[in-house]
PDB file of all heavy atoms in Angstrom:
ATOM      1  N   SER A 153     142.241 268.940 207.637  1.00 93.00           N
ATOM      2  CA  SER A 153     143.026 269.884 206.834  1.00 93.00           C
ATOM      3  C   SER A 153     142.126 270.766 205.968  1.00 93.00           C
ATOM      4  O   SER A 153     142.372 271.968 205.824  1.00 93.00           O
ATOM      5  CB  SER A 153     144.041 269.136 205.961  1.00 93.00           C
ATOM      6  OG  SER A 153     143.389 268.242 205.080  1.00 93.00           O
ATOM      7  N   ASN A 154     141.066 270.196 205.397  1.00 94.00           N
ATOM      8  CA  ASN A 154     140.123 270.978 204.596  1.00 94.00           C
ATOM      9  C   ASN A 154     139.400 271.993 205.471  1.00 94.00           C
ATOM     10  O   ASN A 154     139.215 273.163 205.092  1.00 94.00           O
ATOM     11  CB  ASN A 154     139.115 270.042 203.914  1.00 94.00           C
ATOM     12  CG  ASN A 154     138.437 270.684 202.717  1.00 94.00           C
ATOM     13  OD1 ASN A 154     138.887 271.685 202.167  1.00 94.00           O
ATOM     14  ND2 ASN A 154     137.320 270.099 202.293  1.00 94.00           N
ATOM     15  N   TYR A 155     138.992 271.558 206.661  1.00 91.00           N
ATOM     16  CA  TYR A 155     138.337 272.449 207.625  1.00 91.00           C
ATOM     17  C   TYR A 155     139.273 273.597 208.013  1.00 91.00           C
ATOM     18  O   TYR A 155     138.884 274.777 207.983  1.00 91.00           O
ATOM     19  CB  TYR A 155     137.929 271.641 208.846  1.00 91.00           C
ATOM     20  CG  TYR A 155     137.477 272.466 210.032  1.00 91.00           C
ATOM     21  CD1 TYR A 155     136.186 272.974 210.103  1.00 91.00           C
ATOM     22  CD2 TYR A 155     138.352 272.742 211.078  1.00 91.00           C
ATOM     23  CE1 TYR A 155     135.763 273.735 211.191  1.00 91.00           C
ATOM     24  CE2 TYR A 155     137.942 273.494 212.168  1.00 91.00           C
ATOM     25  CZ  TYR A 155     136.660 273.991 212.224  1.00 91.00           C
ATOM     26  OH  TYR A 155     136.262 274.749 213.305  1.00 91.00           O
ATOM     27  N   GLU A 156     140.505 273.279 208.384  1.00 94.00           N
ATOM     28  CA  GLU A 156     141.443 274.300 208.848  1.00 94.00           C
ATOM     29  C   GLU A 156     141.799 275.291 207.739  1.00 94.00           C
ATOM     30  O   GLU A 156     141.951 276.488 207.996  1.00 94.00           O
ATOM     31  CB  GLU A 156     142.707 273.637 209.398  1.00 94.00           C
ATOM     32  CG  GLU A 156     142.466 272.933 210.733  1.00 94.00           C
ATOM     33  CD  GLU A 156     143.665 272.146 211.223  1.00 94.00           C
ATOM     34  OE1 GLU A 156     144.689 272.094 210.485  1.00 94.00           O
ATOM     35  OE2 GLU A 156     143.584 271.587 212.329  1.00 94.00           O
ATOM     36  N   GLU A 157     141.912 274.800 206.515  1.00 97.00           N
ATOM     37  CA  GLU A 157     142.205 275.681 205.378  1.00 97.00           C
ATOM     38  C   GLU A 157     141.115 276.733 205.206  1.00 97.00           C
ATOM     39  O   GLU A 157     141.399 277.927 205.025  1.00 97.00           O
ATOM     40  CB  GLU A 157     142.338 274.847 204.106  1.00 97.00           C
ATOM     41  CG  GLU A 157     142.520 275.661 202.837  1.00 97.00           C
ATOM     42  CD  GLU A 157     142.458 274.813 201.576  1.00 97.00           C
ATOM     43  OE1 GLU A 157     142.592 273.576 201.667  1.00 97.00           O
ATOM     44  OE2 GLU A 157     142.271 275.401 200.485  1.00 97.00           O
ATOM     45  N   HIS A 158     139.855 276.307 205.291  1.00 97.00           N
ATOM     46  CA  HIS A 158     138.757 277.245 205.060  1.00 97.00           C
ATOM     47  C   HIS A 158     138.454 278.098 206.289  1.00 97.00           C
ATOM     48  O   HIS A 158     138.014 279.242 206.153  1.00 97.00           O
ATOM     49  CB  HIS A 158     137.524 276.480 204.559  1.00 97.00           C
ATOM     50  CG  HIS A 158     137.708 275.985 203.166  1.00 97.00           C
ATOM     51  ND1 HIS A 158     138.261 274.756 202.886  1.00 97.00           N
ATOM     52  CD2 HIS A 158     137.469 276.578 201.968  1.00 97.00           C
ATOM     53  CE1 HIS A 158     138.326 274.594 201.581  1.00 97.00           C
ATOM     54  NE2 HIS A 158     137.862 275.680 201.005  1.00 97.00           N
ATOM     55  N   LEU A 159     138.736 277.579 207.474  1.00 96.00           N
ATOM     56  CA  LEU A 159     138.608 278.407 208.674  1.00 96.00           C
ATOM     57  C   LEU A 159     139.630 279.542 208.632  1.00 96.00           C
ATOM     58  O   LEU A 159     139.306 280.690 208.956  1.00 96.00           O
ATOM     59  CB  LEU A 159     138.801 277.561 209.930  1.00 96.00           C
ATOM     60  CG  LEU A 159     138.773 278.320 211.267  1.00 96.00           C
ATOM     61  CD1 LEU A 159     137.454 279.067 211.462  1.00 96.00           C
ATOM     62  CD2 LEU A 159     139.026 277.350 212.427  1.00 96.00           C
ATOM     63  N   ALA A 160     140.844 279.239 208.211  1.00 98.00           N
ATOM     64  CA  ALA A 160     141.877 280.273 208.101  1.00 98.00           C
ATOM     65  C   ALA A 160     141.476 281.329 207.073  1.00 98.00           C
ATOM     66  O   ALA A 160     141.677 282.536 207.291  1.00 98.00           O
ATOM     67  CB  ALA A 160     143.217 279.635 207.726  1.00 98.00           C
ATOM     68  N   LEU A 161     140.905 280.878 205.942  1.00 98.00           N
ATOM     69  CA  LEU A 161     140.448 281.812 204.913  1.00 98.00           C
ATOM     70  C   LEU A 161     139.323 282.695 205.444  1.00 98.00           C
ATOM     71  O   LEU A 161     139.291 283.908 205.195  1.00 98.00           O
ATOM     72  CB  LEU A 161     139.985 281.026 203.682  1.00 98.00           C
ATOM     73  CG  LEU A 161     139.515 281.833 202.476  1.00 98.00           C
ATOM     74  CD1 LEU A 161     140.608 282.764 201.978  1.00 98.00           C
ATOM     75  CD2 LEU A 161     139.070 280.895 201.355  1.00 98.00           C
ATOM     76  N   LEU A 162     138.398 282.102 206.188  1.00 98.00           N
ATOM     77  CA  LEU A 162     137.300 282.870 206.785  1.00 98.00           C
ATOM     78  C   LEU A 162     137.841 283.919 207.753  1.00 98.00           C
ATOM     79  O   LEU A 162     137.468 285.103 207.682  1.00 98.00           O
ATOM     80  CB  LEU A 162     136.344 281.909 207.513  1.00 98.00           C
ATOM     81  CG  LEU A 162     135.221 282.519 208.346  1.00 98.00           C
ATOM     82  CD1 LEU A 162     134.309 283.392 207.495  1.00 98.00           C
ATOM     83  CD2 LEU A 162     134.418 281.420 209.052  1.00 98.00           C
ATOM     84  N   LYS A 163     138.721 283.504 208.649  1.00 98.00           N
ATOM     85  CA  LYS A 163     139.270 284.440 209.646  1.00 98.00           C
ATOM     86  C   LYS A 163     140.080 285.547 208.982  1.00 98.00           C
ATOM     87  O   LYS A 163     140.002 286.714 209.392  1.00 98.00           O
ATOM     88  CB  LYS A 163     140.134 283.677 210.652  1.00 98.00           C
ATOM     89  CG  LYS A 163     139.343 282.831 211.626  1.00 98.00           C
ATOM     90  CD  LYS A 163     140.261 282.142 212.628  1.00 98.00           C
ATOM     91  CE  LYS A 163     139.469 281.422 213.717  1.00 98.00           C
ATOM     92  NZ  LYS A 163     140.366 280.742 214.681  1.00 98.00           N
ATOM     93  N   ASP A 164     140.858 285.194 207.963  1.00 98.00           N
ATOM     94  CA  ASP A 164     141.663 286.190 207.259  1.00 98.00           C
ATOM     95  C   ASP A 164     140.775 287.237 206.588  1.00 98.00           C
ATOM     96  O   ASP A 164     141.048 288.445 206.654  1.00 98.00           O
ATOM     97  CB  ASP A 164     142.546 285.493 206.216  1.00 98.00           C
ATOM     98  CG  ASP A 164     143.481 286.466 205.515  1.00 98.00           C
ATOM     99  OD1 ASP A 164     144.287 287.126 206.206  1.00 98.00           O
ATOM    100  OD2 ASP A 164     143.396 286.576 204.274  1.00 98.00           O
ATOM    101  N   THR A 165     139.697 286.787 205.946  1.00 98.00           N
ATOM    102  CA  THR A 165     138.762 287.716 205.295  1.00 98.00           C
ATOM    103  C   THR A 165     138.134 288.659 206.313  1.00 98.00           C
ATOM    104  O   THR A 165     138.011 289.871 206.075  1.00 98.00           O
ATOM    105  CB  THR A 165     137.666 286.930 204.548  1.00 98.00           C
ATOM    106  OG1 THR A 165     138.272 286.082 203.578  1.00 98.00           O
ATOM    107  CG2 THR A 165     136.683 287.865 203.853  1.00 98.00           C
ATOM    108  N   LEU A 166     137.734 288.104 207.468  1.00 98.00           N
ATOM    109  CA  LEU A 166     137.096 288.930 208.493  1.00 98.00           C
ATOM    110  C   LEU A 166     138.093 289.908 209.120  1.00 98.00           C
ATOM    111  O   LEU A 166     137.746 291.065 209.402  1.00 98.00           O
ATOM    112  CB  LEU A 166     136.481 288.028 209.575  1.00 98.00           C
ATOM    113  CG  LEU A 166     135.331 287.131 209.092  1.00 98.00           C
ATOM    114  CD1 LEU A 166     134.860 286.207 210.208  1.00 98.00           C
ATOM    115  CD2 LEU A 166     134.171 287.964 208.564  1.00 98.00           C
ATOM    116  N   ASP A 167     139.328 289.459 209.326  1.00 97.00           N
ATOM    117  CA  ASP A 167     140.362 290.350 209.872  1.00 97.00           C
ATOM    118  C   ASP A 167     140.607 291.530 208.940  1.00 97.00           C
ATOM    119  O   ASP A 167     140.685 292.684 209.378  1.00 97.00           O
ATOM    120  CB  ASP A 167     141.673 289.589 210.094  1.00 97.00           C
ATOM    121  CG  ASP A 167     141.624 288.663 211.306  1.00 97.00           C
ATOM    122  OD1 ASP A 167     140.699 288.827 212.135  1.00 97.00           O
ATOM    123  OD2 ASP A 167     142.490 287.780 211.411  1.00 97.00           O
TER     124      ASP A 167
END
Side-chain angles (χ1 to χ4, degrees):
S153 60
N154 200 17
Y155 169 81
E156 289 174 357
E157 175 188 343
H158 289 89
L159 177 59
L161 182 58
L162 173 59
K163 287 182 173 179
D164 184 58
T165 301
L166 295 176
D167 286 345

